[in-house]
Amino acid sequence: LFWAVGASDAALAGLTWFGAALSLVVLAGFLPMAGLAALWALYLSVYSMGSVFLGFQWDVLLLEAGALAVFAAPWGLRPSLATESAPGAVPLWLVRWLWFRLLFLAGAVKLASGDPVWWDLSALSFHFETQPLPHALSWYAHVLPAGVLKAGCLGMFVVELALPFAVFLPRRPRLAAFLGVNALMAAIVLTGNYTFFNLLAV
């Protein structure tokens, strides 16, 4: 879109405010598919212009989740019945597959790195002070006893490596996984700042 309107501060601000307004329209239930497609194009444009400033995992995750949301959204101006707003089987399974990959690979990449602090569960002993965007509560997590931090690391691996498989199971195991993952996401929000990454995971 910046190729069409030009790359300027005014264009960036205008597209951003337009995206915020369009988000409210979609949240209200109007133009769900078209609105989500437009929001995806807007963020792709901002992402492309942002270069290294928007090269984080959550930016790519937002683009993939946004693309899947377009296909999971109902057609029409405003859905009036629950059956009209239910996504089809293929988009639903693609969203589940994205959720599985996000969580499972987050745990697998830690172990695959070969870094011994993940294998001996001591990574959290320095994670809270060295993470990219710590906040005021990060210090309190950093000074927790070593045993608590090791238990937290083990719990994180259980959530990231075991619970994602529940996405392929019936409803009750999926609900248990949902609660476990959301507990981890809440703990991450309370101890660090990963912008909208945790909201997308939830």
Side-chain angles (χ1 to χ4, degrees):
L1 294 174
F2 287 107
W3 291 333
V5 300
S8 66
D9 288 346
L12 179 61
L15 288 178
T16 302
W17 282 110
F18 177 71
L22 185 56
S23 296
L24 295 175
V25 172
V26 172
L27 280 172
F30 294 96
L31 300 170
M33 184 174 279
L36 288 169
L39 287 168
W40 180 84
L42 284 168
Y43 197 74
L44 179 62
S45 300
V46 172
Y47 172 81
S48 298
M49 290 293 291
S51 187
V52 297
F53 297 103
L54 294 177
F56 296 98
Q57 180 185 19
W58 46 79
D59 296 300
V60 177
L61 174 63
L62 181 59
L63 286 169
E64 187 172 352
L68 293 177
V70 172
F71 297 107
W75 292 86
L77 298 177
R78 181 175 169 87
S80 57
L81 299 173
T83 54
E84 292 177 343
S85 61
V90 172
L92 179 61
W93 278 102
L94 288 174
V95 170
R96 290 178 180 175
W97 176 238
L98 171 61
W99 187 79
F100 173 84
R101 287 185 295 119
L102 168 68
L103 293 166
F104 183 78
L105 292 177
V109 74
K110 293 176 179 81
L111 296 178
S113 72
D115 193 332
V117 298
W118 291 116
W119 287 93
D120 68 12
L121 305 177
S122 65
L124 293 184
S125 63
F126 59 86
H127 163 76
F128 298 109
E129 66 177 346
T130 60
Q131 63 183 315
L133 298 169
H135 58 64
L137 296 179
S138 303
W139 180 84
Y140 295 99
H142 175 67
V143 297
L144 288 170
V148 172
L149 294 174
K150 283 194 171 194
C153 193
L154 178 62
M156 177 270 310
F157 276 125
V158 169
V159 169
E160 291 183 347
L161 295 174
L163 292 187
F165 286 95
V167 79
F168 306 113
L169 299 175
R171 187 170 187 269
R172 287 189 186 210
R174 287 199 316 264
L175 181 59
F178 169 80
L179 295 174
V181 168
N182 286 356
L184 174 64
M185 293 302 131
I188 293 172
V189 168
L190 287 173
T191 59
N193 180 0
Y194 292 86
T195 68
F196 50 79
F197 173 78
N198 305 104
L199 290 173
L200 281 173
V202 169

